[in-house]
Amino acid sequence: GESVGLHLPTLSVQEGDNSIINCAYSNSASDYFIWYKQESGKGPQFIIDIRSNMDKRQGQRVTVLLNKTVKHLSLQIAATQPGDSAVYFCAETHSNDYKLSFGAGTTVTVRA
Amino acid sequence: GAGVSQSPSNKVTEKGKDVELRCDPISGHTALYWYRQRLGQGLEFLIYFQGNSAPDKSGLPSDRFSAERTGESVSTLTIQRTQQEDSAVYLCASSPRRGGGETQYFGPGTRLLVL
């Protein structure tokens, strides 16, 4: 079946460096993508989203890039901070659907 | 405003007992979702409610699992005759409309441990 996955299960980043978290999706019909951050003991928190009519979207310290050709999504975090340590999930859906498909997540650890 | 709330935050039960988990969605959100998250894994869809429409129960793993929602407010997820493999975090999310192509807002989850 269709699935959303992440390339790497863990990422260790030096504080102040930029982080890049990758996600591959397989459902070419998906047209809406979301990045969530989940801190220990908490529910997933919305970070940023992007629709398929865009290839880049920027938020505060975060940028999401979408490459529909290779079905790849990435989340870039600028100047990574200790508070960015969490599990990051990408999720996909179609605008006519209500289910989100989640990958297994990437654990980001920020080194001081 | 208040986000999605869930109770209890933690639940420890014995195998074979029934448990009931509660979710209070964001006020005005018509769509409500339940997910299960096993340790170190992603989110597994369980059930979806939208207004007065029949719920999508396609993700419920067995007939021991059931859920109800009162109008567009509180929802309860019931697990009967709990098994050790039911141990997980149960997350509830809500969204403003039918849920198509929009963000879901999550509660903190209920951590269930079945001994």
Side-chain angles (χ1 to χ4, degrees):
Chain A
E2 304 285 0
S3 65
V4 178
L6 293 166
H7 290 311
L8 295 173
T10 61
L11 178 66
S12 180
V13 182
Q14 184 69 39
E15 181 178 358
D17 287 352
N18 297 334
S19 303
I20 300 176
I21 306 166
N22 294 307
C23 178
Y25 65 95
S26 57
N27 187 350
S28 56
S30 294
D31 61 5
Y32 180 56
F33 305 88
I34 308 169
W35 279 101
Y36 284 94
K37 171 187 180 183
Q38 187 175 26
E39 296 177 272
S40 181
K42 298 183 179 180
Q45 176 187 5
F46 170 86
I47 302 175
I48 193 168
D49 59 1
I50 190 168
R51 297 195 183 272
S52 59
N53 60 350
M54 302 174 69
D55 53 21
K56 180 180 180 179
R57 192 166 186 221
Q58 289 185 293
Q60 186 176 13
R61 280 201 308 118
V62 294
T63 300
V64 55
L65 299 177
L66 175 63
N67 186 331
K68 296 180 289 293
T69 303
V70 295
K71 290 183 285 189
H72 183 268
L73 191 69
S74 68
L75 177 70
Q76 300 177 0
I77 305 173
T80 312
Q81 302 170 0
D84 295 327
S85 293
V87 179
Y88 290 81
F89 295 95
C90 63
E92 63 166 333
T93 188
H94 187 274
S95 51
N96 291 331
D97 198 359
Y98 47 79
K99 293 181 183 177
L100 288 177
S101 294
F102 289 85
T106 293
T107 301
V108 173
T109 302
V110 180
R111 307 188 306 271
Chain B
V4 177
S5 61
Q6 293 186 246
S7 61
S9 55
N10 293 281
K11 177 71 176 178
V12 181
T13 190
E14 294 179 349
K15 178 181 174 182
K17 295 287 181 69
D18 297 351
V19 296
E20 190 172 278
L21 312 179
R22 176 188 170 106
C23 171
D24 284 87
I26 293 172
S27 179
H29 281 194
T30 59
L32 186 147
Y33 311 75
W34 283 98
Y35 293 88
R36 179 170 67 181
Q37 185 177 30
R38 291 199 165 107
L39 185 64
Q41 297 187 21
L43 279 68
E44 176 188 4
F45 169 81
L46 296 178
I47 189 168
Y48 162 75
F49 294 92
Q50 169 57 33
N52 295 318
S53 301
D56 176 354
K57 304 179 180 179
S58 61
L60 294 178
S62 77
D63 58 7
R64 296 187 295 104
F65 287 72
S66 62
E68 293 184 348
R69 187 181 187 193
T70 306
E72 295 184 350
S73 60
V74 172
S75 176
T76 55
L77 176 69
T78 301
I79 308 173
Q80 296 178 308
R81 305 180 302 282
T82 52
Q83 303 294 312
Q84 290 181 333
E85 62 262 30
D86 298 334
S87 296
V89 177
Y90 290 84
L91 290 159
C92 176
S94 69
S95 64
R97 295 185 301 274
R98 67 175 291 270
E102 64 181 19
T103 303
Q104 297 176 21
Y105 298 89
F106 285 84
T110 293
R111 281 145 194 82
L112 175 66
L113 177 61
V114 182
L115 301 176

